[in-house]
Amino acid sequence: MTITKAESLGFDRAGLARIDQLLNERYVAPGRLPNAQILIARDGEIAHFSHLGAARHGGKPVDEGSLFRIASMTKPVTSIAFMMLVEEGKVAVDTPVHHVLPEFKGIGVYNGGGGGVPFLTRPTDQPMRMIDLLRHTSGLTYSFQNRSNVDAAYREGRLENWFGNHDLDGFVASLGTLPLEFSPGEAWNYSVSTDVLGAAVQRLSGLALDDFFHTRIFAPLGMHDTFFAVPLDKTDRLTDCYDFVPGAAPKLFDAGATSAWSHKPKFLSGGGGLVSTALDYHRFCTMCLHGGTLGDVRLVGRKTLELMTLNHLPGGADLAAMSKSLFSEAANAGTGFGLGFAVNIDVARSMIPGSVGEYHWGGMFSTAFFIDPVERITMVFMTQLRPSSTYPIRRELKTLIYSALK
């Protein structure tokens, strides 16, 4: 009997086939997702790489060259970039943010006002530090949270409009005039923290964020299909992107042929701006799995990766306990947060198979990845449907992947 590559890497062939069956029967064939692509590897070797659906409406199927908007899967890249500068002695994890970005000096915590009334603030209990940006305990927020007068002010100022009136410096300057939702370290709130971290990378390195990413990360790792703006000669590979519509077919949000992502944004979003391929992001994940190295290329040291993938939430808490809004549901029990990644800290409480120390994140267009340093597994999942909370597909994929292990 012939042993397949997947079987030689410790996977059951039939178990992996169930993944494609689920993706097709539950999501792609019924039109819930426009497409689906999944890459599963062990110790950096690809065990399974499959493609379902069309890249564009009525167009050719997705393939290994298809480009996807990875949104918040940009965040780990920015976090690695920052930790590279930590290793160079240019900054520390506990450095106060205002030492690098003086626009944040004296920023206060919301204490009333908004909606046309001047904000009232109180002093922070402690300064915002770089660790707060890395783990989302900064007190910053996102405009799409729709839960406070502070995020309403973000919307009014169009702070997260990548093609608007702000570059990274202008973005930071505007943020510095608005209050925080809570004192740094007090709670966890998904936010523009990683965009601010990207601004810190620019200031500390003296390079524009896209230049830093290209010269220090993407080119060395051989990630030649990852960028903020898709080059003209690659725009034909950019997939269509859709919005979920309850009770109806998904609605086109951004067409690959005329995409906004084919133009360089004024605001380089370290929190969500990149486009990539499954193969490119697989190289990034493999670098992380191998302790900061890929082949002869070393981005960060092994102990730095170990530090990044510990749970850094105060008191060892999880997202279910500390989150102010998004990611506070029961499904996030047992999930902590490190320096740029969510971290599995209690497999039993997560209620799906996994390993303590597995780390992961995803993007708002339903893309996802995880890295398991115990089983030596990495996964990259690509599709293009907003929001990512529409379907429980990430939990389903993890369940099927771990069930396919011999």
Side-chain angles (χ1 to χ4, degrees):
M1 183 178 70
T2 302
I3 303 297
T4 67
K5 182 65 173 290
E7 289 170 320
S8 71
L9 292 172
F11 288 99
D12 174 68
R13 181 168 31 178
L16 292 178
R18 282 199 299 268
I19 297 171
D20 292 344
Q21 182 179 354
L22 177 140
L23 287 171
N24 187 49
E25 294 181 357
R26 190 170 296 179
Y27 293 108
V28 178
R32 293 188 176 98
L33 291 179
N35 46 52
Q37 186 178 72
I38 186 165
L39 189 160
I40 302 164
R42 201 164 197 189
D43 260 323
E45 291 192 65
I46 297 174
H48 183 82
F49 190 20
S50 62
H51 325 278
L52 296 164
R56 295 180 180 177
H57 181 69
K60 66 180 183 179
V62 291
D63 58 29
E64 65 180 30
S66 296
L67 292 163
F68 297 86
R69 302 153 192 80
I70 62 170
S72 287
M73 283 167 57
T74 305
K75 288 179 170 69
V77 178
T78 305
S79 302
I80 286 286
F82 178 81
M83 296 305 290
M84 292 168 71
L85 298 173
V86 170
E87 288 196 339
E88 293 171 8
K90 294 182 177 179
V91 67
V93 171
D94 64 348
T95 297
V97 173
H98 71 268
H99 287 189
V100 177
L101 303 171
E103 294 92 334
F104 281 87
K105 186 173 180 60
I107 195 168
V109 179
Y110 178 78
N111 201 34
V117 178
F119 282 116
L120 301 175
T121 63
R122 60 176 174 83
T124 59
D125 295 331
Q126 58 183 352
M128 184 195 302
R129 297 173 296 160
M130 293 297 175
I131 189 173
D132 294 308
L133 299 178
L134 287 155
R135 68 185 181 184
H136 293 282
T137 56
S138 62
L140 298 167
T141 189
Y142 263 131
S143 64
F144 60 75
Q145 298 266 21
N146 285 306
R147 53 178 293 275
S148 72
N149 286 336
V150 178
D151 63 49
Y154 283 35
R155 290 191 295 278
E156 291 166 10
R158 301 176 74 235
L159 293 188
E160 296 155 48
N161 184 343
W162 301 344
F163 299 92
N165 57 336
H166 291 299
D167 59 11
L168 263 178
D169 288 333
F171 169 74
V172 167
S174 293
L175 271 183
T177 67
L178 299 175
L180 302 175
E181 288 201 338
F182 52 85
S183 191
E186 183 181 285
W188 189 93
N189 190 45
Y190 199 43
S191 71
V192 298
S193 288
T194 316
D195 290 303
V196 176
L197 195 70
V201 170
Q202 279 201 164
R203 297 276 179 96
L204 289 161
S205 68
L207 293 172
L209 190 63
D210 56 347
D211 290 337
F212 187 97
F213 280 2
H214 175 72
T215 60
R216 299 290 307 276
I217 299 175
F218 301 151
L221 292 182
M223 296 172 64
H224 302 305
D225 284 326
T226 306
F227 16 66
F228 284 106
V230 180
L232 184 62
D233 62 348
K234 297 185 179 185
T235 54
D236 63 315
R237 294 161 50 195
L238 181 59
T239 53
D240 288 343
C241 189
Y242 294 83
D243 275 331
F244 171 71
V245 180
K251 179 182 177 182
L252 185 65
F253 164 69
D254 183 69
T258 57
S259 177
W261 275 262
S262 62
H263 308 285
K264 183 176 178 178
K266 186 172 185 179
F267 172 33
L268 298 170
S269 173
L274 289 176
V275 171
S276 190
T277 63
L279 284 171
D280 263 21
Y281 212 84
H282 162 64
R283 295 183 72 81
F284 180 80
C285 290
T286 304
M287 175 275 297
C288 292
L289 182 70
H290 290 166
T293 63
L294 183 66
D296 296 330
V297 175
R298 176 189 182 276
L299 294 190
V300 293
R302 175 173 58 87
K303 300 302 287 187
T304 294
L305 249 299
E306 289 178 10
L307 176 67
M308 295 180 73
T309 55
L310 295 171
N311 180 27
H312 287 266
L313 295 183
D318 63 8
L319 294 183
M322 279 203 72
S323 177
K324 285 287 190 181
S325 52
L326 291 176
F327 308 103
S328 57
E329 61 269 20
N332 287 292
T335 300
F337 211 88
L339 306 182
F341 309 91
V343 183
N344 191 332
I345 58 175
D346 190 325
V347 177
R349 294 192 69 206
S350 76
M351 296 181 286
I352 57 173
S355 301
V356 171
E358 172 262 319
Y359 52 104
H360 62 275
W361 204 237
M364 69 174 171
F365 299 116
S366 300
T367 61
F369 78 95
F370 76 79
I371 300 167
D372 183 338
V374 177
E375 296 290 348
R376 310 294 293 171
I377 297 171
T378 59
M379 180 211 76
V380 179
F381 176 71
M382 296 293 200
T383 189
Q384 297 283 257
L385 180 75
R386 183 176 68 169
S388 62
S389 58
T390 305
Y391 302 113
I393 191 165
R394 296 172 183 173
R395 295 176 66 81
E396 292 169 341
L397 290 175
K398 276 191 174 180
T399 299
L400 267 65
I401 290 168
Y402 281 107
S403 71
L405 275 177
K406 290 183 176 180

